[in-house]
Amino acid sequence: MNSLNYRKLGRIVFYTIVLIILGILGGLMVVSFIGKMQRDFEPAVSQVLQGVKNPSAQLEVYFSPTEDVQSKLISELQKAKETIDCSLYGITQEDIANTLIEKDKSGVRVRIGLDKMQAAGKSDKHNELIKGGVEVRIKKLSALEHNKYCVIDGRVATEGSYNFSKNARLQDNSFVIIRDKGIVDKFGKQFEYIWARDNPLIVTEWYIKRIK
């Protein structure tokens, strides 16, 4: 074998060794990166999984018609000790309305904000609620009050697409029970804004602009 072939063979061996070393270093870097990712994300993943498995977690999620959302809603309302504040598109479901009336009679302060157009419907239960002692305010503006949430004792909020209606349990709807204080407080503050805005004794800025 002449010197030229030796030099070619030497280069091949050299480059092969370099590639092997680079491969080993690259593999070590990948292993180190994966390890770091696991350390960083494992607590978050664990927390999420705990929330799914643990019924006392800060979030509970349900879906109709595959789950009995109405029973979950009524169960949360029945647990109220001090206050129930709901901002709703409307309420036509008799069992839910009766639960709110019963809680009001038991000493719980119940306040319900409703959409103007929906409250005008024949099936809406707002008159029954008022007769039962529940405080009801109907939005004066034409833009929809399309919420479906309640704040219970300032500690729990229920929210989702689930209307308080006769047909909601047959429809595809979501329903979330929230126990996170920061989130519940935000729902509470928004309700207070809605409740103050819809005070029938207040002439709103919107109305003043309309009559000018």
Side-chain angles (χ1 to χ4, degrees):
M1 184 178 295
N2 57 40
S3 59
L4 183 60
N5 289 334
Y6 277 120
R7 284 197 296 273
K8 287 182 179 179
L9 180 60
R11 289 197 202 95
I12 293 171
V13 171
F14 173 77
Y15 288 128
T16 300
I17 293 172
V18 170
L19 289 174
I20 291 172
I21 293 172
L22 290 175
I24 293 171
L25 291 174
L28 292 173
M29 290 176 66
V30 169
V31 170
S32 176
F33 177 75
I34 292 173
K36 185 178 185 304
M37 292 285 289
Q38 287 177 331
R39 290 191 298 273
D40 289 344
F41 287 99
E42 190 172 42
V45 172
S46 176
Q47 186 176 4
V48 170
L49 292 176
Q50 183 71 9
V52 171
K53 295 176 183 178
N54 186 354
S56 64
Q58 292 182 318
L59 289 176
E60 298 174 37
V61 182
Y62 303 97
F63 298 94
S64 64
T66 54
E67 295 176 283
D68 189 356
V69 170
Q70 182 171 301
S71 293
K72 298 292 183 184
L73 169 59
I74 290 176
S75 175
E76 291 301 319
L77 294 174
Q78 288 174 335
K79 294 175 187 176
K81 303 295 183 185
E82 298 175 1
T83 59
I84 297 174
D85 297 326
C86 301
S87 173
L88 306 174
Y89 179 51
I91 177 167
T92 60
Q93 214 294 321
E94 189 170 2
D95 291 338
I96 299 174
N98 287 340
T99 299
L100 293 169
I101 292 170
E102 289 168 7
K103 294 307 296 184
D104 183 84
K105 291 185 182 302
S106 73
V108 174
R109 186 185 185 190
V110 181
R111 298 185 294 174
I112 307 296
L114 293 170
D115 178 70
K116 177 182 179 179
M117 183 171 64
Q118 191 68 13
K122 294 180 180 180
S123 300
D124 197 80
K125 299 290 183 183
H126 74 274
N127 284 324
E128 293 177 28
L129 292 172
I130 293 170
K131 289 176 184 178
V134 174
E135 298 176 59
V136 175
R137 289 185 182 176
I138 297 172
K139 184 176 183 179
K140 295 179 289 235
L141 307 182
S142 58
L144 293 181
E145 180 165 348
H146 209 240
N147 292 320
K148 296 103 181 178
Y149 75 78
C150 292
V151 180
I152 302 165
D153 289 338
R155 294 192 295 269
V156 177
T158 64
E159 159 69 354
S161 64
Y162 194 89
N163 275 303
F164 290 22
S165 67
K166 298 175 182 177
N167 297 322
R169 58 169 48 186
L170 304 176
Q171 302 165 343
D172 291 313
N173 283 302
S174 60
F175 180 72
V176 183
I177 300 172
I178 304 164
R179 306 187 192 280
D180 180 274
K181 188 176 187 320
I183 297 175
V184 173
D185 285 349
K186 191 165 185 178
F187 275 100
K189 288 178 182 177
Q190 185 64 17
F191 178 83
E192 294 299 340
Y193 160 78
I194 291 170
W195 193 251
R197 179 198 65 197
D198 296 340
N199 187 335
L201 301 178
I202 295 176
V203 179
T204 65
E205 181 181 351
W206 174 86
Y207 181 74
I208 292 172
K209 288 179 180 178
R210 287 293 296 265
I211 63 177
K212 281 184 178 180

